[in-house]
Amino acid sequence: MGALLSLPLMAVPSMGTLMSFGASCCGAAACSAICNQCGIFKSSMATRIAYAFLLLVNSIISWLMLTPWALKKLEHLTLDYVNISCQGKQCYGYVAVQRVNFALGLFHLILSVLLLGVKSSRDGRAALQNGYWGPKLIVWLAFVVLTFFIPETFFQVWGQYIALAGAVLFVLLGLILLVDLAHTWAEYCLEKIEENDSRAWRVLLIGSTLGMFTASFAMTIIMYIFFAQSGCAMNQAAITVNLIVLLIITAVSVHPMVQEYNPKAGLAQAAMVSVYCTYLTMSAVSMEPDDRHCNPLIRAGGTRTASIVLGAIVTMLTIAYTTTRAATQGIALNGNSSHAYSKLGDEEGEHGLVDQQPTSRREMRAEALRAAVEAGSLPANALDDSDDDDDDSDDGRGGKDDERGGTQYNYALFHVIFLLATTWVATLLTQNIDYEATGVATVGRTYWASWVKIVSSWVCYAIYSWSLLAPVVLPGRFGN
């Protein structure tokens, strides 16, 4: 099996020599072990973590391929007997990064098409999402290899237009979901307080709001002290605009007219949006180049290589987490969910059947079976059959399939968002590449990346402001 896997790599001169040796080590026993150990995940959380880890690994590989640093390390491990090249051309830089991310993006695009319409794990296609991890890893690696046979002109166009557009969509989607999270968090806390008159939830809501506002103002003060010195007009403008807009959206969130049309709006949502946008601004000024002596962090002492590596890994982890969160919450954008239940009557007790929503489909089914047994419509052993069906969801290792009644998220949309994430990673890494660099490359330390973060914070403020003002401006559309 290992020899077969290495055959496609032989078409790539020099690179195939090294890679075929590694592939041969993964013989039939190794591939069998991978496929057996990485079977079908019964937990939807485990599946999401696995895809996030795959994105993280792919992003780190992309980062390492920015410069010849990693390739030289590999050549050194072979005592310099192997000269790694791709069809006589360099295997690093702009095109190499685009190739690796295009491979993973194509992988997610194919899965998205194959998983359209999957509603529960009872669908046979759900196994493609939750299982077959050994074959899926092989397919991903095969895509990476095959991209090196595609002409460079394709990736020049892909990176300059298509990947850039996808990156913009990914950033915009993340901002929309951040605003949605702010509203959801505040409304959830308010519901808990109203239902149980819980002091703990009240303390949590007030404490988190004060804490986020405090963090926002603390970061603002730090930015003014360290990054807004004389001659740093860009930083001074970005920090000042952020502070002014922060105060404006805070005032708008508690304005009487806004409260009249949206009583659940308040300081909690404003605090979460403010701390996130202030963090974006601080990240922008702290990651900009130091050609104008406006970034003291770059001039600070310490091991430069270690700080660059740590910063790159943290950035990739953040992207992987944000992507997974956005992919699983993205279904909320269209307002539809397979788990939503509609009310049977407008008034309580009108129908005489159900006076509250069931907590799960399994409970609803069990209640229906009990009612049928009590009415004599079904024999008593029907309840035993129901228990047997529930036991079938056990994975044999004590785990339960949490998607037999319905998927926890939209599988197709999940992979579309991961596709957009690969375009964001490729765009982030390939802006203003230093082609003369020989060491590890920095991630996001460009004016382009800084301005993307600054503008993103402004867009986030705009989205949140519209979520407050839309019910006032268009009461017929947003009114209850």
Side-chain angles (χ1 to χ4, degrees), residues 199-330:
R199 181 180 179 183
W201 280 102
R202 184 176 288 105
V203 170
L204 179 61
L205 180 61
I206 297 174
S208 62
T209 301
L210 292 176
M212 286 185 284
F213 272 126
T214 301
S216 299
F217 288 114
M219 285 189 288
T220 301
I221 294 173
I222 292 174
M223 285 189 289
Y224 271 122
I225 294 174
F226 294 101
F227 301 98
Q229 301 171 2
S230 177
C232 303
M234 170 186 161
N235 291 356
Q236 293 171 354
I239 299 168
T240 303
V241 169
N242 179 79
L243 178 60
I244 293 174
V245 178
L246 183 158
L247 296 175
I248 291 175
I249 62 111
T250 301
V252 170
S253 66
V254 294
H255 192 277
M257 186 171 292
V258 172
Q259 290 291 310
E260 178 183 352
Y261 287 88
N262 189 0
K264 292 186 177 180
L267 295 176
Q269 298 96 321
M272 181 174 292
V273 172
S274 297
V275 73
Y276 178 74
C277 292
T278 305
Y279 159 75
L280 284 179
T281 305
M282 186 172 185
S283 176
V285 299
S286 64
M287 289 298 292
E288 68 178 11
D290 193 38
D291 55 340
R292 301 173 185 172
H293 301 286
C294 296
N295 191 348
L297 292 182
I298 296 180
R299 301 190 302 272
T303 305
R304 179 173 173 80
T305 301
S307 63
I308 292 175
V309 172
L310 180 61
I313 293 176
V314 170
T315 300
M316 300 309 174
L317 282 171
T318 303
I319 293 174
Y321 168 76
T322 304
T323 304
T324 307
R325 180 177 141 286
T328 52
Q329 292 183 349

Side-chain angles (χ1 to χ4, degrees), residues 180-201:
D180 179 71
L181 175 64
H183 284 290
T184 302
W185 160 252
E187 291 173 5
Y188 181 77
C189 291
L190 290 175
E191 288 177 2
K192 291 296 182 180
I193 294 173
E194 292 174 359
E195 289 177 1
N196 307 318
D197 193 22
S198 173
R199 181 180 179 183
W201 280 102

Side-chain angles (χ1 to χ4, degrees), residues 30-55 104 107-108 111 115 126-142 324 397 403 409 411 414-415 418:
C31 292
S32 176
I34 291 175
C35 294
N36 290 335
Q37 294 299 322
C38 300
I40 296 178
F41 288 144
K42 296 295 184 179
S43 169
S44 60
M45 179 61 70
T47 298
R48 285 173 274 179
I49 292 175
Y51 282 114
F53 182 75
L54 179 59
L55 176 63
L104 183 60
F107 172 80
H108 282 292
L111 284 178
L115 295 171
L128 292 174
Q129 172 74 0
N130 303 312
Y132 297 108
W133 289 101
K136 283 194 291 192
L137 289 176
I138 294 174
V139 170
W140 166 57
L141 292 174
T324 307
R397 296 187 295 270
E403 295 187 313
Y409 53 96
Y411 286 172
F414 177 89
H415 290 287
F418 267 78

